[in-house]
Amino acid sequence: MSRTTVLTESSSDRYWQTSDLIELAKQLATAIAKEQPIAGVAGVPRSGMIPASVMATHLGVPLLHAGFDGLFQLPNGRRIDNQRFEGRILVVEDSVNKGRRLQQLKSNLGKDPIYASIFCRG
């Protein structure tokens, strides 16, 4: 089932600051976690890693890397010997224009992840 949560709408000429990104990431994480439990948050490199890190910290769950080769947990400061991650995860991108990158990831990621973007062009 596809579901869309819109936290805020804005004109296209608004400039967003990093502090806006962080606050919106926390709000979106809270809204999604109210609907269903999240086992981990995966960022889409590179731009999705900032909101994913904020969301994972906010929810107290592991941070993961979402790539075409699968999902990998980023363990406690070490980036060597990444382990595959099992469980329901939230895949996050900072912004989506046409959604091609997320569509490509959907074909490679299993277990029905939840896909989210902080900013989306409608």
Side-chain angles (χ1 to χ4, degrees):
M1 168 178 23
S2 178
R3 183 170 186 281
T4 302
T5 301
V6 177
L7 298 174
T8 184
E9 292 189 40
S10 169
S11 65
S12 61
D13 60 352
R14 184 185 192 295
Y15 289 95
W16 295 90
Q17 298 180 357
T18 303
S19 59
D20 297 320
L21 174 70
I22 291 169
E23 187 56 36
L24 288 170
K26 292 192 295 188
Q27 289 176 23
L28 185 58
T30 299
I32 292 171
K34 283 181 183 177
E35 296 286 324
Q36 53 196 309
I38 303 298
V41 179
V44 177
R46 295 180 343 168
S47 59
M49 294 307 294
I50 292 173
S53 177
V54 169
M55 294 169 97
T57 301
H58 183 69
L59 296 175
V61 298
L63 175 63
L64 298 98
H65 166 277
F68 293 116
D69 53 348
L71 297 169
F72 295 91
Q73 186 170 354
L74 302 175
N76 303 326
R78 289 182 30 186
R79 301 301 186 257
I80 302 171
D81 298 324
N82 287 332
Q83 300 172 357
R84 291 206 177 262
F85 183 79
E86 299 287 330
R88 187 79 192 255
I89 55 99
L90 171 62
V91 177
V92 181
E93 180 66 285
D94 72 335
S95 61
V96 172
N97 186 16
K98 294 184 180 178
R100 286 181 286 213
R101 173 94 169 140
L102 287 181
Q103 287 297 333
Q104 291 171 337
L105 284 172
K106 284 182 181 182
S107 66
N108 294 318
L109 303 178
K111 293 206 174 194
D112 192 34
I114 301 164
Y115 293 91
S117 174
I118 307 303
F119 305 109
C120 185
R121 184 175 180 148

